[in-house]
Amino acid sequence: MEFQRRQDQSLSQRKGQKRKLDEEHHHERQISPPPPTAVERAALLSDVAEQVSILESTFTWNEADRSAAKRATHALADLAKNEEVVNVIVEGGAIPALVKHLQAPPLSDRVQKPLPFEHEVEKGSAFALGLLAVKPEHQQLIVDSGALTHLVDLLKRHKNGLTSRAINSLIRRAADAITNLAHENSSIKTRVRMEGGIPPLVHLLDFADAKVQRAAAGALRTLAFKNDENKNQIVDCDALPTLILMLRSEDAAVHYEAVGVIGNLVHSSPNIKREVLLAGALQPVIGLLSSCCSESQREAALLLGQFAATDSDCKVHIVQRGAVRPLIEMLQSPDVQLREMSAFALGRLAQDTHNQAGIAHNGGLVPLLKLLDSKNGSLQHNAAFALYGLADNEDNVSDFIRVGGVQRLQDGEFIVQATKDCVAKTLKRLEEKIHDRVLNHLLYLMRVSEKGCQRRVALALAHLCSADDQRQIFIDHYGLELLLGLLGSSSSKQQLDGAVALCKLANKASTLSPVDAAPPSPTPQVYLGEQYVNNATLSDVTFLVEGKRFYAHRICLLASSDAFRAMFDGGYREKEARDIEIPNIRWEVFELMMRFVYCGSVDVTLDIAQDLLRAADQYLLEGLKRLCEYTIAQDISLENVSSMYELSEAFNAISLKHACILFILEQFDKLSARPGHSLLIQRIIPEIRNYFVQTL
């Protein structure tokens, strides 16, 4: 993330540099003109050729020649402000002519003093070349034409002890041109160092003119980016003390460039980072968090994030020196990059235990959680990483849950996989801390806080608590009633949150399965086996089903259920009867029921399950009833869940009823779009309560 951010900063630096080159001569362009037509191109080439011819023929100290050369450099610079025609200017041969005029013409005894337009032509040439260098494809061409040597010499024009507005302006133009030439061009950055450009730039940081300081810092900033040899030379030239002083400048443009240089120096350079800290940069960088310049704030936050990655002591020092509050304020800035950089810094600071509590205590949780809603993937990820750090401290867990942090983490739409992974780890961290004093605090909040907070706590605990604590939370401390209250809410979002939480709670507590069997029979089971099903051998009772005989054995039936025991051992007429007629049951259903009685198990198919359930309920065969319920439960759908629930009530099919409840909770969002769902929900709330009371 750091690497990408420094690249982004460099891109914005390049655009800003071009504006800076432009600002003295003309106001910034609002809209780029379209590319020239063929006719315009021909006219432009002619114009360029004319200016080049003037430059080639006026390399003297003659006042008329100097005046003409000055006008020609300005004319080419004015043309170069339109990026659409820069290629035409280069094609017209402007670069060699401009490079030639980066140096003063040779002096002779006849040259009048003061020298006419001294420094002015060189300044105009540097300005025009800087504009041409905005296009990367022209950078090497300019350097190969010998521009760098002359530009470095121009940086030293003040060495004779003279300073003037013209000299200052010339030096700035030379520094700006070096900035544009070296932008994202590694070989040219190195070439500037080889030409001796770094020492004079460092020297110019102490220049009296703030604009010169700014230009020199801008060039050093570019040269330091991703070039270790340049970084080392800048530090070896003793730039750090001056740069740190510049951080305290009241001129926003000065401290912006200074913090940018330091940021590029320390990036991926642990040794320089240590030197910068030892040189006293920490406090002035923290001071820039309150700057009126948002760019300086952004760079300072990025730099603090880099400092914080050094060691734990540095993290603590940054917080102790007052960085947390301004960083949290920056989280709420309308500037996206400012929010991102403050989240980046807080994320690094939040890897220290004591800082975690301090950031949350100072109000960092809520704005960080809000950033999860951002559509900017990098911003979202930095916020998620900071929250991951805060979740590591037990003192933050209750606040995390109290402000709805768990719901935001669960509901967020995260753009990149790394953010999704980070959020999952954060939820896991929170889950691991729901015990002892944290749990006691949350239970206290569930008792005494306002209703909204109580519900947020109950929702979070449904997802995060351990199975061992469920009864204490949801039965003993009435957390279940808070979740059921959400189901009865007029808000569809609250209803869905409640349903999802209850579903999570149920999944932790129990799982429906075919061995979710009935309570054991009071009479020991006797299974005669498959060979005796509808076998006349030793049969002592016959059932008449749909006119057909079914041979059975009283001893097996007596042991199978209370219904058969009452039939044969009670005061019913069937007690002595040899043939017993069975009405209202199909032969296939009765045979399958008896097969269960004789064998203790049977394969129940969906097409017969409901009729078999009815028969099992009539004859109190709880084991068979559960098998039927399990089979029927596999067929529950959005279309039939209401009728399935009615079926479970009609035959007191507890497992089927529970399956319907779980299905309704699992599919709540889809079910809510169907007519009549509200009535169904209100109808089953008492049964949901009973289910959880039994389960927990």
Side-chain angles (χ1 to χ4, degrees):
M1 208 302 298
E2 269 186 53
F3 174 78
Q4 183 59 48
R5 177 51 48 198
R6 290 244 62 93
Q7 280 187 319
D8 292 346
Q9 291 299 319
S10 181
L11 285 171
S12 66
Q13 172 192 340
R14 174 187 172 187
K15 293 174 183 173
Q17 182 61 41
K18 187 175 188 308
R19 286 198 295 271
K20 195 157 58 173
L21 286 170
D22 225 342
E23 67 190 2
E24 270 194 16
H25 285 253
H26 290 278
H27 294 299
E28 232 175 281
R29 298 177 312 284
Q30 298 301 313
I31 301 173
S32 295
T37 64
V39 174
E40 290 171 336
R41 179 182 173 83
L44 182 61
L45 273 171
S46 175
D47 191 6
V48 171
E50 181 182 345
Q51 304 307 326
V52 169
S53 175
I54 292 171
L55 289 175
E56 288 175 344
S57 62
T58 56
F59 193 58
T60 74
W61 279 110
N62 178 276
E63 186 170 358
D65 285 347
R66 292 290 284 174
S67 178
K70 176 183 174 182
R71 288 195 301 272
T73 60
H74 287 186
L76 290 171
D78 284 341
L79 291 173
K81 291 171 187 174
N82 176 2
E83 287 191 34
E84 297 297 336
V85 304
V86 164
N87 290 342
V88 182
I89 298 170
V90 173
E91 183 183 335
I95 287 177
L98 288 167
V99 170
K100 183 177 182 179
H101 281 271
L102 287 175
Q103 57 189 320
L107 286 168
S108 69
D109 295 338
R110 292 175 294 173
V111 176
Q112 61 184 15
K113 299 291 179 69
L115 297 173
F117 301 103
E118 188 177 11
H119 314 300
E120 292 291 338
V121 180
E122 297 94 305
K123 179 180 76 173
S125 293
F127 181 44
L129 287 167
L131 289 171
L132 296 178
V134 167
K135 287 210 167 186
E137 60 267 32
H138 301 149
Q139 292 168 345
Q140 195 62 49
L141 182 60
I142 295 170
V143 170
D144 290 344
S145 296
L148 270 185
T149 302
H150 300 318
L151 288 170
V152 171
D153 286 341
L154 294 181
L155 297 177
K156 306 170 186 175
R157 274 281 174 101
H158 64 290
K159 287 286 190 176
N160 58 10
L162 297 175
T163 58
S164 67
R165 187 172 179 179
I167 290 176
N168 294 353
S169 185
L170 169 65
I171 293 171
R172 282 195 296 116
R173 292 306 181 202
D176 288 344
I178 288 172
T179 298
N180 279 9
L181 282 170
H183 175 72
E184 291 191 350
N185 191 315
S186 182
S187 65
I188 293 179
K189 288 178 189 177
T190 299
R191 184 80 175 270
V192 172
R193 184 181 76 253
M194 302 301 292
E195 293 281 355
I198 289 177
L201 285 169
V202 172
H203 177 75
L204 290 171
L205 295 177
D206 280 318
F207 209 73
D209 187 303
K211 292 180 180 179
V212 172
Q213 291 179 29
R214 217 164 63 206
L220 290 170
R221 178 180 187 160
T222 296
L223 295 173
F225 182 60
K226 292 170 62 177
N227 191 303
D228 290 341
E229 291 81 2
N230 285 2
K231 291 180 186 182
N232 291 331
Q233 189 173 88
I234 292 168
V235 174
D236 290 344
C237 288
D238 205 26
L240 290 182
T242 306
L243 287 169
I244 291 169
L245 289 173
M246 290 168 70
L247 293 176
R248 301 180 185 273
S249 170
E250 294 183 4
D251 186 329
V254 170
H255 60 60
Y256 167 65
E257 294 293 0
V259 74
V261 179
I262 294 172
N264 282 354
L265 286 173
V266 305
H267 177 60
S268 301
S269 301
N271 292 335
I272 294 178
K273 195 182 297 183
R274 281 191 289 273
E275 287 193 53
V276 168
L277 287 169
L278 287 171
L282 188 54
Q283 198 62 54
V285 170
I286 291 172
L288 288 182
L289 296 177
S290 303
S291 168
C292 59
C293 171
S294 62
E295 289 85 357
S296 294
Q297 289 180 291
R298 186 173 66 234
E299 288 284 349
L302 175 59
L303 192 49
L304 288 174
Q306 292 173 312
F307 287 158
T310 305
D311 55 56
S312 186
D313 284 346
C314 190
K315 292 182 179 70
V316 174
H317 294 158
I318 291 169
V319 172
Q320 288 174 335
R321 289 168 178 254
V324 169
R325 282 193 180 276
L327 284 171
I328 291 173
E329 289 172 6
M330 286 161 61
L331 290 175
Q332 300 159 78
S333 165
D335 184 325
V336 174
Q337 286 191 327
L338 208 54
R339 296 200 300 272
E340 182 183 345
M341 286 302 98
S342 56
F344 169 75
L346 288 168
R348 272 63 193 165
L349 294 174
Q351 305 314 303
D352 176 87
T353 303
H354 298 295
N355 292 351
Q356 291 157 2
I359 292 167
H361 178 73
N362 280 285
L365 262 177
V366 172
L368 283 169
L369 287 166
K370 286 181 179 177
L371 293 185
L372 296 180
D373 296 332
S374 169
K375 302 304 180 188
N376 179 308
S378 184
L379 173 56
Q380 202 180 59
H381 183 70
N382 277 297
F385 184 69
L387 290 166
Y388 170 71
L390 299 186
D392 195 38
N393 191 309
E394 285 190 354
D395 290 327
N396 292 341
V397 175
S398 297
D399 285 336
F400 221 112
I401 290 173
R402 181 177 55 81
V403 300
V406 172
Q407 285 77 42
R408 279 189 176 269
L409 291 171
Q410 291 171 331
D411 295 344
E413 296 180 5
F414 303 112
I415 297 168
V416 297
Q417 186 60 44
T419 308
K420 296 175 185 176
D421 295 341
C422 186
V423 166
K425 290 177 182 178
T426 303
L427 288 168
K428 186 66 178 174
R429 268 190 171 178
L430 292 169
E431 183 177 356
E432 290 168 352
K433 291 173 172 52
I434 307 295
H435 54 76
D436 300 333
R437 67 185 180 92
V438 174
L439 179 57
N440 287 335
H441 186 199
L442 291 170
L443 293 176
Y444 173 77
L445 291 175
M446 261 186 12
R447 288 198 309 273
V448 304
S449 56
E450 49 89 17
K451 181 67 79 175
C453 179
Q454 290 178 341
R455 286 175 168 175
R456 288 192 291 274
V457 173
L459 283 170
L461 288 176
H463 290 276
L464 302 180
C465 76
S466 72
D468 293 340
D469 293 323
Q470 286 180 319
R471 178 176 179 81
Q472 179 189 10
I473 296 165
F474 295 99
I475 304 301
D476 299 345
H477 286 83
Y478 307 105
L480 178 60
E481 296 306 317
L482 292 167
L483 298 182
L484 292 174
L486 289 170
L487 284 187
S489 166
S490 59
S491 162
S492 57
K493 175 68 169 66
Q494 287 190 348
Q495 289 179 9
L496 180 59
D497 286 344
V500 171
L502 287 165
C503 187
K504 181 73 173 180
L505 200 59
N507 288 338
K508 285 185 181 182
S510 65
T511 305
L512 184 68
S513 73
V515 292
D516 185 13
S521 169
T523 307
Q525 296 291 312
V526 177
Y527 299 119
L528 294 186
E530 176 74 26
Q531 66 272 29
Y532 287 102
V533 176
N534 199 14
N535 190 334
T537 303
L538 299 179
S539 172
D540 53 5
V541 63
T542 303
F543 293 104
L544 298 174
V545 182
E546 292 186 334
K548 292 188 283 187
R549 292 183 179 278
F550 190 101
Y551 298 99
H553 308 77
R554 290 174 188 261
I555 183 63
C556 184
L557 297 172
L558 282 169
S560 66
S561 80
D562 292 342
F564 282 120
R565 193 164 57 255
M567 182 184 292
F568 298 119
D569 205 20
Y572 294 95
R573 60 185 177 83
E574 290 90 349
K575 181 178 181 181
E576 304 299 335
R578 179 69 186 176
D579 295 335
I580 301 171
E581 186 172 357
I582 303 295
N584 304 323
I585 297 182
R586 290 186 292 120
W587 171 267
E588 296 85 357
V589 175
F590 187 79
E591 182 187 33
L592 208 55
M593 181 179 76
M594 297 306 289
R595 195 172 295 280
F596 176 83
V597 169
Y598 277 77
C599 302
S601 65
V602 70
D603 290 333
V604 180
T605 58
L606 192 58
D607 59 336
I608 205 170
Q610 292 197 27
D611 288 341
L612 194 57
L613 173 65
R614 185 178 291 104
D617 182 64
Q618 181 178 341
Y619 288 96
L620 305 180
L621 296 167
E622 290 297 329
L624 177 60
K625 193 171 167 184
R626 291 293 177 89
L627 288 175
C628 293
E629 291 177 59
Y630 179 73
T631 300
I632 295 168
Q634 308 314 301
D635 191 45
I636 298 174
S637 67
L638 294 172
E639 290 75 19
N640 68 17
V641 65
S642 183
S643 60
M644 289 290 196
Y645 186 80
E646 290 175 359
L647 181 70
S648 73
E649 286 198 312
F651 298 108
N652 194 30
I654 302 300
S655 292
L656 179 58
K657 184 179 291 186
H658 290 172
C660 288
I661 288 172
L662 289 175
F663 181 88
I664 290 168
L665 294 175
E666 288 172 354
Q667 302 295 327
F668 194 90
D669 55 337
K670 295 177 182 175
L671 194 63
S672 63
R674 305 178 73 86
H677 91 282
S678 296
L679 294 175
L680 175 62
I681 296 302
Q682 299 311 311
R683 178 181 169 192
I684 69 168
I685 284 178
E687 287 301 331
I688 295 176
R689 179 183 290 106
N690 292 339
Y691 167 77
F692 280 103
V693 168
Q694 291 173 27
T695 304
L696 299 181

